[in-house]
Amino acid sequence: MNYKAQNFKKPEESEDYKVASDYAIKSIEAIVKNAIVKGENKIIINTNLKLGLPMENINKIAGPFIEALAFETFQNVVDDADNKWNLINVEALERLNRADLLLQFKRKRKIETAVTAEVDVKATAEDFESSGKSPNITSYARIRSAYIENPDYLFVILSLKHKVYSTRNDQTGLMDGIMEVVKYNAYDIKYLSDADISYNPSLGTGQIQIRDIHYVSIEERTAWEFCQLLDKKYLASSKRDFKSWLTLAKQNGWIK
């Protein structure tokens, strides 16, 4: 028995998947850009520390703040029923979900009337070159299974670069920490290039990672081609083998 001999379940996405994906990606980036232009890209953190926030470790606490800001940014758009991006719903997903947010855009499609995207928010520090450079995205088995469950599954990685600085509050005499989103990029994980996707065998079935989130290339592919790419990354690991892959494939219904 070998990998190629398996009777795979091969997901087939809708004909208009690429159009829907492009619409979601462009809308997400435009919404973040709009927030930056309007000055709605800042988080103010009050502290009684005389020297302000500990800058050398700020990247360790930035993630939850940036995720919360992202949610509020999209929620503000949803609150405007006539928003030009037709964003109609945003949900903060529970911690153990594949992603952080769920977004739904109203858009006429061949089968559906909405584009649904799960968004994984990744915070990286503009001031620290290596901060968040190679983030864990999600577990191999969970993302691989998602395309079997729904061939039109859209998983977006939203990279938000931030700067942090401190300023003295004239009223309190204390220091206010300012966390400010300054750059952004959104990617459909299915279209990340082979070279940009890596596999870390640590933790459960292993983690899918991006080698360098600041420099990403795009390669258009189908859902089935992406599943095969994920399998290739798994099987190439020195800590994995075909037998362990076959066990996962049977457990998760990847083969008939």
Side-chain angles (χ1 to χ4, degrees):
M1 294 180 67
N2 58 52
Y3 179 81
K4 291 184 178 180
Q6 301 308 304
N7 190 8
F8 290 96
K9 292 181 181 177
K10 299 180 180 181
E12 294 185 16
E13 63 267 69
S14 301
E15 291 180 8
D16 63 346
Y17 173 87
K18 178 66 165 54
V19 174
S21 172
D22 288 347
Y23 180 81
I25 296 296
K26 290 177 181 177
S27 297
I28 289 169
E29 290 187 335
I31 289 170
V32 176
K33 179 181 179 180
N34 182 64
I36 293 174
V37 170
K38 293 171 65 177
E40 297 175 353
N41 58 325
K42 300 178 182 67
I43 303 167
I44 301 175
I45 306 170
N46 300 117
T47 175
N48 62 349
L49 296 173
K50 293 181 180 179
L51 298 179
L53 298 175
M55 299 301 291
E56 66 276 9
N57 293 312
I58 197 64
N59 58 307
K60 295 180 181 179
I61 65 170
F65 284 101
I66 297 299
E67 289 171 22
L69 178 62
F71 174 79
E72 289 197 5
T73 298
F74 293 115
Q75 184 62 61
N76 289 339
V77 174
V78 171
D79 290 342
D80 176 7
D82 296 321
N83 71 83
K84 61 183 178 181
W85 299 284
N86 295 315
L87 182 62
I88 56 175
N89 184 43
V90 56
E91 298 176 24
L93 300 176
E94 295 179 359
R95 183 171 178 78
L96 295 180
N97 271 281
R98 287 180 294 244
D100 301 307
L101 306 174
L102 183 143
L103 303 180
Q104 289 180 304
F105 299 88
K106 185 177 181 180
R107 182 174 174 82
K108 183 68 175 177
R109 299 185 62 186
K110 291 187 176 181
I111 299 176
E112 303 177 55
T113 57
V115 175
T116 300
E118 289 187 9
V119 181
D120 190 20
V121 181
K122 295 301 179 187
T124 62
E126 174 80 353
D127 303 314
F128 299 90
E129 185 176 350
S130 61
S131 169
K133 177 182 176 181
S134 303
N136 285 331
I137 302 301
T138 186
S139 86
Y140 158 71
R142 296 184 78 186
I143 194 71
R144 172 68 163 84
S145 297
Y147 293 93
I148 301 301
E149 297 164 6
N150 176 16
D152 280 340
Y153 179 63
L154 174 54
F155 186 96
V156 176
I157 301 163
L158 175 58
S159 173
L160 297 177
K161 267 195 174 185
H162 59 83
K163 287 186 175 182
V164 181
Y165 53 92
S166 295
T167 181
R168 188 168 299 280
N169 187 311
D170 293 333
Q171 293 181 335
T172 65
L174 301 175
M175 299 296 286
D176 286 341
I178 311 296
M179 191 174 291
E180 180 178 8
V181 172
V182 294
K183 294 181 181 178
Y184 56 88
N185 285 105
Y187 313 103
D188 182 338
I189 192 174
K190 195 171 81 175
Y191 293 151
L192 293 181
S193 74
D194 186 335
D196 287 318
I197 299 173
S198 61
Y199 172 79
N200 182 346
S202 304
L203 300 175
T205 63
Q207 288 284 313
I208 298 302
Q209 296 179 322
I210 298 180
R211 294 187 188 280
D212 188 344
I213 199 168
H214 305 314
Y215 300 96
V216 171
S217 299
I218 302 300
E219 294 177 5
E220 187 176 336
R221 60 172 65 87
T222 66
W224 171 230
E225 288 170 341
F226 185 58
C227 288
Q228 293 177 91
L229 175 61
L230 293 176
D231 292 343
K232 183 182 77 171
K233 301 287 182 180
Y234 178 92
L235 291 167
S237 171
S238 60
K239 295 185 178 181
R240 306 295 183 181
D241 57 22
F242 173 72
K243 185 177 180 180
S244 65
W245 177 88
L246 187 60
T247 298
L248 283 177
K250 291 178 178 178
Q251 289 175 347
N252 293 282
W254 301 343
I255 54 180
K256 298 177 184 178

